[in-house]
Amino acid sequence: MTGVDLIVAALAAGTSAGLTDAASGAVGNAYGCLLDAVRRRLGGGAGGETEASNVLAAGEVESEVWEARLRRALAQADAENDGELVSAARTLLEELRSTVPPKGTYVVDASHAQGAQVGDGNSQTNTFHNSVPAHPTDGGPPGGRR
């Protein structure tokens, strides 16, 4: 993977993560640092917007078009030889790996579950029989209703 590939992959992944609630503060910070580094490299830092840096804001463009424009702008700016920029891309990807489960996996807390099932394409039938009294002192339901 070239430096440009790494930067584009990190930007795309950071954008996708930012659209979900799974993005942590560390991911948001790493994404912001990467965007700042890209803007500086493309000449859009310190308030000076250029055509190359505007490619970052092209949200209305299809992803393939956005990616091609971004790759071209980064290659022209020799971004893959910018150690700070490549490091920022790596940091973002590492943060994303540590906070977002890989596709097809689940984070499940089933500590109080009765008849739980995890996975894809499963089928299950449950029948529950309450063998524990609802109210431990008299065996009746909570609130005294019977």
Side-chain angles (χ1 to χ4, degrees):
M1 179 178 271
T2 69
V4 169
D5 292 336
L6 184 71
I7 295 163
V8 171
L11 285 169
T15 300
S16 295
L19 298 176
T20 70
D21 291 336
S24 70
V27 169
N29 290 340
Y31 182 64
C33 289
L34 177 58
L35 281 177
D36 290 345
V38 169
R39 285 186 183 109
R40 276 194 303 277
R41 188 65 188 192
L42 297 180
E49 290 297 318
T50 65
E51 184 177 335
S53 66
N54 287 338
V55 74
L56 291 173
E60 72 282 353
V61 178
E62 291 183 26
S63 62
E64 295 83 14
V65 174
W66 172 82
E67 185 177 320
R69 288 180 184 171
L70 183 58
R71 282 183 187 283
R72 190 170 35 255
L74 290 168
Q76 289 172 349
D78 196 30
E80 70 183 346
N81 292 316
D82 184 330
E84 178 188 353
L85 180 51
V86 172
S87 177
R90 282 195 179 106
T91 299
L92 174 58
L93 290 173
E94 288 168 9
E95 288 295 337
L96 285 166
R97 280 189 205 105
S98 70
T99 60
V100 178
K103 184 178 180 182
T105 62
Y106 303 87
V107 177
V108 177
D109 177 4
S111 58
H112 300 289
Q114 292 183 355
Q117 192 173 61
V118 178
D120 295 326
N122 298 321
S123 176
Q124 178 173 336
T125 302
N126 296 327
T127 303
F128 297 102
H129 300 281
N130 191 2
S131 60
V132 178
H135 192 278
T137 59
D138 68 0
R145 293 180 297 239
R146 290 182 187 244

